[in-house]
Amino acid sequence: MMPAPQASRRGLFAAGVAAAAAGTVATSAAAQSRSGAKPRQVNDRVKTRDGADIFYKDWGAGQPIVFSHGWPLTSDDWDAQMMFFANNGYRVIAHDRRGHGRSTQTWEGNEMDTYADDLRALVLALELKDAIHVGHSTGGGEVARYLGRHGTDRAARAVLIGAVPPVMVRKDSNPEGLPIEVFDGFRAALMADRAQMFRDVPAGPFYGFNRPGAKVSQGLIDKWWLQGMMGGVKAHYDCIKAFSETDFTEDLRKIDIPVLVMHGDDDQIVPIKASALKAAKLLPKATLKVYPGFDHGMASTHAETINRDILAWLKA
């Protein structure tokens, strides 16, 4: 007698979910036991000096890892890292930058100094100490400006993934940068049809899906689009200038804690020659790790590798 195919598939799926859930609970319990603290499970908001509400997630227990996301995304872009590190004995915190996701869509303040001040407000409100700051792309700039502007009194380490520092735009002191016309094109596309732009970017260069033989994830493209459309167009427009024209050179020189610089050499959004290779030379205590063939969104497309390498560096 042949089994009912649909029932069999549902049974296998249910069994797999149950097993995964059990594994997650067991791992989380082990993490709690190691840290000796009760895991947090908080989604909340922090009020900034100008009255903006910054949405954040605060999960798990242990040494805090604070994640800063890229443009035009949200804290949801860190799903793979939040789950992994919370299950490995860390307290994980990620916020939606102002104008992005569930945070206030402010007209003013969409620039790096204010982003850094908002991050400081979060750190102080949660009374974080010995924190590890992880920033991707624009979030890497936010981390660099935060540590350069506010110091490392509450920070232990930092990780920059596909990050924009020291500066993206081409100028006399940065001939390897991208011409301003590239970023003017971003602004024009944003204003012409933001929804379409937010499909074209992840379907193309962000995850390297435009490369021959690339394994395309429609789900990842849709997730990117959804996160982008949650934010405000004014903040997204202003942030292009913030991530492309801000010079983080002096910030990097001030950072006196160990920093892991991770970058794919096929990053089509933040070319490695103008970013990681220079940043690693400016940082006093840098470890540079280059990933052959990896894309800009490698924390999602190669999450297992990135998570493993960060954890190994933290424990080294």
Side-chain angles (χ1 to χ4, degrees), residues 35-112:
S35 67
K38 182 179 180 181
R40 294 166 178 79
Q41 41 188 353
V42 175
N43 298 338
D44 207 345
R45 297 174 184 274
V46 164
K47 183 84 66 179
T48 66
R49 287 186 305 174
D50 65 352
D53 285 322
I54 304 299
F55 172 87
Y56 71 90
K57 308 172 188 181
D58 182 0
W59 303 338
Q63 185 178 12
I65 304 180
V66 185
F67 296 92
S68 294
H69 64 78
W71 175 94
L73 304 174
T74 74
S75 55
D76 294 344
D77 199 46
W78 293 110
D79 284 353
Q81 285 69 45
M82 296 275 284
M83 290 291 289
F84 177 84
F85 286 100
N87 284 334
N88 276 277
Y90 291 90
R91 175 184 177 185
V92 294
I93 300 150
H95 65 290
D96 293 355
R97 186 172 301 114
R98 68 168 55 215
H100 297 63
R102 290 142 292 203
S103 292
T104 303
Q105 295 185 14
T106 60
W107 185 262
E108 304 275 345
N110 304 302
E111 33 71 27
M112 283 295 168

Side-chain angles (χ1 to χ4, degrees), residues 2-272:
M2 295 292 290
Q6 291 298 329
S8 297
R9 282 198 290 271
R10 284 197 297 270
L12 287 171
F13 178 75
V17 169
T24 299
V25 170
T27 308
S28 298
Q32 178 182 355
S33 176
R34 288 194 299 271
S35 67
K38 182 179 180 181
R40 294 166 178 79
Q41 41 188 353
V42 175
N43 298 338
D44 207 345
R45 297 174 184 274
V46 164
K47 183 84 66 179
T48 66
R49 287 186 305 174
D50 65 352
D53 285 322
I54 304 299
F55 172 87
Y56 71 90
K57 308 172 188 181
D58 182 0
W59 303 338
Q63 185 178 12
I65 304 180
V66 185
F67 296 92
S68 294
H69 64 78
W71 175 94
L73 304 174
T74 74
S75 55
D76 294 344
D77 199 46
W78 293 110
D79 284 353
Q81 285 69 45
M82 296 275 284
M83 290 291 289
F84 177 84
F85 286 100
N87 284 334
N88 276 277
Y90 291 90
R91 175 184 177 185
V92 294
I93 300 150
H95 65 290
D96 293 355
R97 186 172 301 114
R98 68 168 55 215
H100 297 63
R102 290 142 292 203
S103 292
T104 303
Q105 295 185 14
T106 60
W107 185 262
E108 304 275 345
N110 304 302
E111 33 71 27
M112 283 295 168
D113 284 353
T114 302
Y115 295 160
D117 293 348
D118 291 349
L119 181 53
R120 184 64 171 183
L122 179 66
V123 168
L124 293 178
L126 299 183
E127 300 181 343
L128 302 182
K129 296 179 181 179
D130 201 30
I132 300 155
H133 286 272
V134 181
H136 171 241
S137 195
T138 300
E142 178 178 290
V143 168
R145 179 52 52 92
Y146 165 73
L147 295 173
R149 182 174 172 87
H150 293 286
T152 58
D153 61 317
R154 290 175 176 263
R157 294 189 180 207
V159 181
L160 304 180
I161 306 173
V164 298
V167 60
M168 282 193 73
V169 74
R170 181 180 297 167
K171 51 185 180 178
D172 291 343
S173 60
N174 187 42
E176 297 85 3
L178 296 172
I180 189 66
E181 289 78 14
V182 170
F183 306 108
D184 289 340
F186 286 174
R187 283 182 276 264
L190 186 79
M191 296 308 299
D193 191 342
R194 181 169 66 131
Q196 186 59 51
M197 181 192 185
F198 286 0
R199 292 205 182 279
D200 294 341
V201 173
F206 195 93
Y207 296 115
F209 291 159
N210 57 341
R211 295 304 197 204
K215 184 179 179 181
V216 177
S217 167
Q218 187 61 47
L220 201 52
I221 295 169
D222 292 346
K223 180 183 178 183
W224 202 100
W225 179 88
L226 178 61
Q227 290 179 81
M229 294 307 296
M230 287 170 65
V233 66
K234 175 62 162 60
H236 289 165
Y237 187 92
D238 290 352
C239 190
I240 294 172
K241 180 180 178 68
F243 73 65
S244 64
E245 298 183 41
T246 304
D247 192 331
F248 301 97
T249 300
E250 294 307 314
D251 297 300
L252 296 174
R253 286 175 173 155
K254 293 177 184 176
I255 299 173
D256 58 0
I257 56 175
V259 180
L260 176 61
V261 180
M262 313 173 84
H263 218 101
D265 70 0
D266 193 34
D267 190 324
Q268 301 173 68
I269 302 296
V270 182
I272 191 171

